[in-house]
Amino acid sequence: MLIYEVTLQVEPALAPAVERHMREHHIPSILETGCFRRIRFSQASPARFRTSYEAATQGDLDRYLS
Protein backbone atom coordinates (compact mmCIF):
# COMPACT_ATOMS: atom_id res chain seq x y z
CA MET A 1 0.00 0.00 0.00
CA LEU A 2 1.18 3.52 -0.86
CA ILE A 3 -0.21 6.86 0.27
CA TYR A 4 -0.03 9.85 -2.06
CA GLU A 5 -0.92 13.01 -0.18
CA VAL A 6 -1.77 16.48 -1.44
CA THR A 7 -2.19 19.59 0.73
CA LEU A 8 -4.04 22.58 -0.64
CA GLN A 9 -4.02 26.08 0.85
CA VAL A 10 -6.76 28.37 -0.48
CA GLU A 11 -8.10 31.83 0.19
CA PRO A 12 -10.51 31.45 3.14
CA ALA A 13 -13.44 32.83 1.11
CA LEU A 14 -12.95 30.05 -1.46
CA ALA A 15 -12.86 27.18 1.06
CA PRO A 16 -16.56 26.22 0.85
CA ALA A 17 -16.48 26.08 -2.95
CA VAL A 18 -13.23 24.11 -2.95
CA GLU A 19 -14.62 21.58 -0.48
CA ARG A 20 -17.81 21.17 -2.51
CA HIS A 21 -15.85 20.69 -5.75
CA MET A 22 -13.53 18.12 -4.16
CA ARG A 23 -16.37 16.08 -2.65
CA GLU A 24 -18.80 16.29 -5.56
CA HIS A 25 -16.49 16.20 -8.59
CA HIS A 26 -12.76 15.72 -8.13
CA ILE A 27 -12.69 12.79 -5.70
CA PRO A 28 -15.40 10.77 -7.50
CA SER A 29 -13.57 11.33 -10.82
CA ILE A 30 -10.26 10.17 -9.37
CA LEU A 31 -11.86 7.06 -7.83
CA GLU A 32 -13.26 6.19 -11.28
CA THR A 33 -9.71 5.84 -12.61
CA GLY A 34 -9.30 2.66 -10.57
CA CYS A 35 -5.85 3.80 -9.46
CA PHE A 36 -6.79 4.19 -5.80
CA ARG A 37 -8.55 1.97 -3.27
CA ARG A 38 -9.56 4.80 -0.99
CA ILE A 39 -9.38 8.58 -0.81
CA ARG A 40 -9.56 10.52 2.42
CA PHE A 41 -10.33 14.22 2.34
CA SER A 42 -10.12 16.48 5.36
CA GLN A 43 -10.03 20.13 6.25
CA ALA A 44 -6.91 20.73 8.33
CA SER A 45 -7.74 24.39 9.03
CA PRO A 46 -10.31 26.90 7.71
CA ALA A 47 -8.34 27.36 4.48
CA ARG A 48 -6.20 24.19 4.26
CA PHE A 49 -7.28 20.82 2.92
CA ARG A 50 -5.51 17.48 2.85
CA THR A 51 -6.28 14.63 0.49
CA SER A 52 -4.73 11.19 0.98
CA TYR A 53 -4.94 8.76 -1.90
CA GLU A 54 -4.35 5.07 -1.10
CA ALA A 55 -2.92 3.02 -3.96
CA ALA A 56 -2.50 -0.76 -3.79
CA THR A 57 0.76 -0.77 -5.78
CA GLN A 58 3.44 1.53 -7.12
CA GLY A 59 2.15 0.69 -10.60
CA ASP A 60 -1.30 2.06 -9.73
CA LEU A 61 0.22 5.30 -8.46
CA ASP A 62 2.50 5.58 -11.49
CA ARG A 63 -0.48 5.07 -13.81
CA TYR A 64 -2.34 7.92 -12.10
CA LEU A 65 0.66 10.26 -12.17
CA SER A 66 1.29 9.67 -15.85
Side-chain angles (χ1 to χ4, degrees):
M1 172 181 66
L2 296 162
I3 302 294
Y4 172 68
E5 190 166 282
V6 176
T7 302
L8 176 63
Q9 181 78 34
V10 300
E11 292 293 326
L14 297 176
V18 168
E19 181 175 11
R20 187 171 43 257
H21 173 77
M22 291 295 290
R23 292 188 187 279
E24 295 177 5
H25 301 286
H26 182 70
I27 291 171
S29 294
I30 299 304
L31 279 172
E32 286 179 8
T33 69
C35 296
F36 299 103
R37 295 196 275 196
R38 181 164 65 188
I39 300 174
R40 292 183 178 182
F41 178 72
S42 61
Q43 190 166 6
S45 72
R48 179 175 285 207
F49 299 93
R50 180 174 47 213
T51 311
S52 298
Y53 303 85
E54 182 182 312
T57 67
Q58 182 68 50
D60 289 337
L61 179 58
D62 291 344
R63 186 164 45 95
Y64 172 72
L65 294 173
S66 67

